[in-house]
Each structure stands twice: as structure tokens, then as C-alpha cells.
């Protein structure tokens, strides 16, 4: 949810975890005392370096399993996050090592997210989220998705893929939903804000466009 580089509010955490906001408040304050997160009242919670180091093995294992399920077992992309979650309750260093050897140390999972240790973790900012862009002639490339099972089910239904190139043609001032033109299928699609804030993009330069042509 971006907690390595930005604050994540308690409401979003509660929805993600399926628990009450009060439970999240208690838990984040406890984790803050342990030095794993930095909790700022009214702004939310962000992982500290100590907290990030603590979760890296679990993230690495989860994304390796996703890659294995998708590339080796042919499990549909919309299902791999949920299945990998069930198989990744606790990090297993031997399993991580064997998966890495078997798949030759992949650097990203099928959703475009970096696999820790195998690749340097980039410094993302809020400006890289689709939700924070304006209407323009700029072409953007989708570089990854927030790990969220609901999101993956939605994306499967609306035909938006990793590496798709898109343009923002309209933004609704009331609910901040976006109309984007997908250059892969030449379709205009309406994306609500709860979806656009889970899609990370990068600008496509003229040289990149020439290569793709």
C-alpha cells in the first residue's frame, strides 16, 4: 500500500486487513513502540527502515510464489495473489532459496512489483500514482499495481494490463474518477479513484514511443 515511502491511513489499513479502525490504531501504535513503523496522528503509518527489513523476507517469498504460480503452473493472473497469500503465512528461507534457483532469480512479480533482494527497491513517490495525474497529452506506461486481490479481479474484467500505455482524457471533479484511453486496445475506460490510486505509472518519452513503434 506504499507504506515504505508514504503514510497509509488507518481507514485504508482497516479495509485491507478486514478489521476495525480501532484495532488498526492499537496495532500501529504498538508497532511504533517497537520501532517498526512511524505513526503520525491524523496522517497514518509508514514503515521505518527496521520495519521494512523485517517484512522483506515475507514480501520476497510472496512475490516469488506469485511468479512460480503464473509462469510455471499457468494459474490465471487474477488468482495468483490470493493463492500466494495462502501459501505465504510465514517466510521460509529454504523455500525462498529454492524458488530463486528454480526460476533464476526473477526481479519482478507478474504485477510489476520488485522482488526484494533480487533487485534494488526503487524510491517511488506519490507523484508516480495514476490518481495524482492531470488531464494532458502525456502518454503513461503502467509499471506496477498495488498488491490487492480486489484490484486484480477488477483489472481482469476491464482489460487493463501491466505495461499498457494510456492517456488521461477526462477527470470527474465530483468523485475524481478518470477516463483513460488505453493505446493497446484503443478503448476508453472509466477508472474510479480507488483503482487509480493503486496503479503506478511512468511517463513515456519520445524515444520509448519510437522503439515501441
Amino acid at each position: 500500500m506504499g507504506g515504505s515511502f508514504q503514510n497509509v491511513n488507518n481507514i485504508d489499513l482497516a479495509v485491507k486487513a478486514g478489521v476495525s479502525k480501532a484495532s488498526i490504531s492499537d496495532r500501529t501504535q504498538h508497532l511504533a513502540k517497537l520501532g517498526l513503523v512511524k505513526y503520525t496522528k491524523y496522517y497514518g503509518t509508514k514503515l521505518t527502515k527496521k520495519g521494512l527489513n523485517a517484512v522483506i523476507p515475507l514480501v520476497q517469498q510472496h512475490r516469488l510464489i506469485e511468479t512460480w504460480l503464473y509462469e510455471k503452473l499457468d494459474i490465471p493472473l487474477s488468482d495468483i495473489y490470493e493463492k500466494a497469500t495462502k501459501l505465504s503465512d510465514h517466510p521460509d528461507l529454504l523455500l525462498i532459496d529454492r524458488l530463486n534457483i528454480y526460476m533464476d532469480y526473477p526481479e519482478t512479480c507478474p504485477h510489476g512489483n520488485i522482488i526484494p533482494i533480487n533487485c534494488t527497491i526503487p524510491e517511488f513517490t506519490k507523484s508516480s500514482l495514476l490518481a495524482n495525474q492531470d488531464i494532458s497529452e502525456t502518454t503513461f506506461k503502467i509499471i506496477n499495481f498495488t498488491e490487492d486481490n480486489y484490484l486484480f479481479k477488477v483489472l481482469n474484467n476491464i482489460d487493463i494490463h501491466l505495461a499498457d500505455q494510456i492517456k488521461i482524457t477526462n477527470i470527474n471533479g465530483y468523485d475524481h474518477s478518470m477516463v483513460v484511453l488505453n493505446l493497446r486496445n484503443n478503448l476508453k475506460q472509466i477508472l474510479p479513484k480507488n483503482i487509480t490510486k493503486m496503479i503506478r505509472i511512468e511517463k513515456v518519452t519520445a524515444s520509448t514511443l519510437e522503439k515501441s513503434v
Side-chain angles (χ1 to χ4, degrees):
M1 300 180 71
S4 61
F5 66 89
Q6 67 181 12
N7 288 316
V8 180
N9 69 59
N10 285 355
I11 294 176
D12 287 344
L13 284 171
V15 171
K16 176 74 172 178
V19 298
S20 69
K21 182 181 174 182
S23 296
I24 291 294
S25 296
D26 290 342
R27 206 75 191 124
T28 52
Q29 289 178 47
H30 173 68
L31 293 173
K33 291 178 181 178
L34 297 176
L36 298 173
V37 302
K38 182 179 180 181
Y39 173 74
T40 305
K41 193 173 182 179
Y42 305 123
Y43 289 93
T45 305
K46 180 181 177 181
L47 283 166
T48 62
K49 185 175 181 179
K50 179 181 178 182
L52 185 60
N53 287 335
V55 300
I56 275 178
L58 183 59
V59 174
Q60 185 186 30
Q61 178 172 296
H62 190 281
R63 292 177 181 172
L64 282 168
I65 291 175
E66 283 185 310
T67 306
W68 171 63
L69 291 172
Y70 183 67
E71 294 185 358
K72 304 300 182 180
L73 301 187
D74 202 27
I75 302 297
L77 187 63
S78 58
D79 295 337
I80 61 173
Y81 176 78
E82 185 176 15
K83 292 185 182 300
T85 299
K86 292 177 180 178
L87 295 170
S88 277
D89 281 345
H90 303 285
D92 184 318
L93 297 182
L94 179 61
L95 176 61
I96 290 172
D97 183 57
R98 293 297 186 267
L99 285 171
N100 266 323
I101 293 172
Y102 179 61
M103 294 185 293
D104 196 22
Y105 298 85
E107 295 187 349
T108 60
C109 76
H111 302 121
N113 294 301
I114 296 298
I115 298 177
I117 307 300
N118 294 7
C119 188
T120 302
I121 300 175
E123 291 289 334
F124 288 122
T125 64
K126 288 185 177 182
S127 62
S128 65
L129 295 176
L130 179 58
N132 295 334
Q133 310 308 314
D134 297 317
I135 301 171
S136 71
E137 288 300 314
T138 303
T139 299
F140 297 102
K141 177 183 176 181
I142 297 175
I143 58 173
N144 65 39
F145 301 107
T146 297
E147 293 179 313
D148 184 274
N149 195 48
Y150 166 75
L151 172 67
F152 299 142
K153 299 294 185 184
V154 171
L155 292 176
N156 184 58
N157 291 331
I158 63 177
D159 192 24
I160 286 186
H161 300 165
L162 188 69
D164 277 355
Q165 294 186 4
I166 60 175
K167 288 186 175 182
I168 302 168
T169 63
N170 192 34
I171 298 176
N172 187 316
Y174 175 70
D175 62 6
H176 304 288
S177 59
M178 282 185 179
V179 178
V180 300
L181 173 63
N182 191 326
L183 300 182
R184 173 177 55 82
N185 52 27
N186 203 34
L187 292 177
K188 286 187 175 181
Q189 297 160 299
I190 300 175
L191 303 178
K193 188 173 182 180
N194 68 325
I195 296 298
T196 60
K197 71 180 184 179
M198 293 193 285
I199 298 175
R200 190 164 283 111
I201 45 83
E202 66 181 9
K203 291 183 179 180
V204 177
T205 62
S207 59
T208 305
L209 282 171
E210 290 174 1
K211 289 179 181 178
S212 65
V213 172

